[in-house]
Amino acid sequence: MNWSAYIVAVLLALSFDSSVGSVLEIAGAHPQVLPAVVVFALLSTARRCALRAAMLAGLAADLLAPLVGADGMLVVVPGPRVLGFALGALAVLQLRSLLYRRNPLAGSAATFAFSLLAGIVFIAAWLLRAWVTGSDAPWWPGSGGSEVWIRFIGALLDGVVALPVLWCLEKTRPLWGFVVSTKLTAGPARMSR
């Protein structure tokens, strides 16, 4: 995988999400482009690089998209999205053998699963941080359950937004430098006389 193309795509997705993404808000949730970019890379890159790529995108999201705390201060905590993206990546890596990787509908379903798992881990990490530090979670005075519902709606919206995003990313596939390898096996089919 061409890491520079991946990093540029992640940064562009983050800038889109932080600027235009909030305009598309539905029921308190807004769709994000970043999960579709990460899933595109996860479905096409080698397994040994995939988890690192997802965690790098999570770290970029943690550092470049801070949350507003209950007291109105910006809160930058590297970790919640890193862990969430790691769990989402592990789920997509398990699913990718079942999916036709170049089909946008399969990528959309994988984006939904990725976003949902990343959102649940994000909420759990923030609740743990709030419990340890004695502070409030960023979505206070709402409850964690209402935030899970918003993350579920957001995951559905991410899956819908993933359709055009994955289609556009598929057009840029030669820039990404994905290596396609075939697995050769020994056996009667390989024998020729």
Side-chain angles (χ1 to χ4, degrees):
M1 178 171 78
N2 184 356
W3 283 95
S4 58
Y6 177 72
I7 290 170
V8 167
V10 165
L11 292 176
L12 286 174
L14 276 170
S15 65
F16 180 84
D17 291 342
S18 63
S19 61
V20 180
S22 60
V23 173
L24 305 172
E25 184 174 329
I26 297 174
H30 61 276
Q32 295 180 340
V33 175
L34 182 61
V37 171
V38 175
V39 166
F40 177 74
L42 289 174
L43 291 177
S44 301
T45 192
R47 193 174 283 270
R48 60 184 164 77
C49 297
L51 188 60
R52 291 181 209 139
M55 291 176 74
L56 178 69
L59 181 63
D62 277 336
L63 295 176
L64 299 177
L67 294 173
V68 178
D71 56 355
M73 300 275 299
L74 287 179
V75 182
V76 178
V77 178
R81 288 190 184 112
V82 174
L83 296 174
F85 279 32
L87 181 66
L90 290 173
V92 170
L93 288 175
Q94 294 301 318
L95 288 174
R96 78 179 187 173
S97 63
L98 302 172
L99 300 172
Y100 178 63
R101 297 179 188 185
R102 291 191 171 189
N103 185 345
L105 291 175
S108 178
T111 303
F112 167 73
F114 176 86
S115 295
L116 184 62
L117 289 172
I120 289 171
V121 171
F122 179 80
I123 292 168
W126 272 102
L127 287 175
L128 181 64
R129 179 189 180 275
W131 179 69
V132 168
T133 61
S135 61
D136 294 327
W139 52 84
W140 186 259
S143 67
S146 65
E147 187 65 21
V148 169
W149 178 249
I150 290 172
R151 296 289 171 159
F152 176 77
I153 293 171
L156 285 174
L157 293 173
D158 289 350
V160 171
V161 166
L163 286 169
V165 171
L166 292 173
W167 182 81
C168 291
L169 289 173
E170 189 64 39
K171 300 296 183 191
T172 66
R173 183 172 282 277
L175 298 174
W176 290 73
F178 295 126
V179 176
V180 178
S181 62
T182 57
K183 185 178 179 182
L184 297 176
T185 58
R190 299 266 311 158
M191 297 171 75
S192 62
R193 292 193 184 225

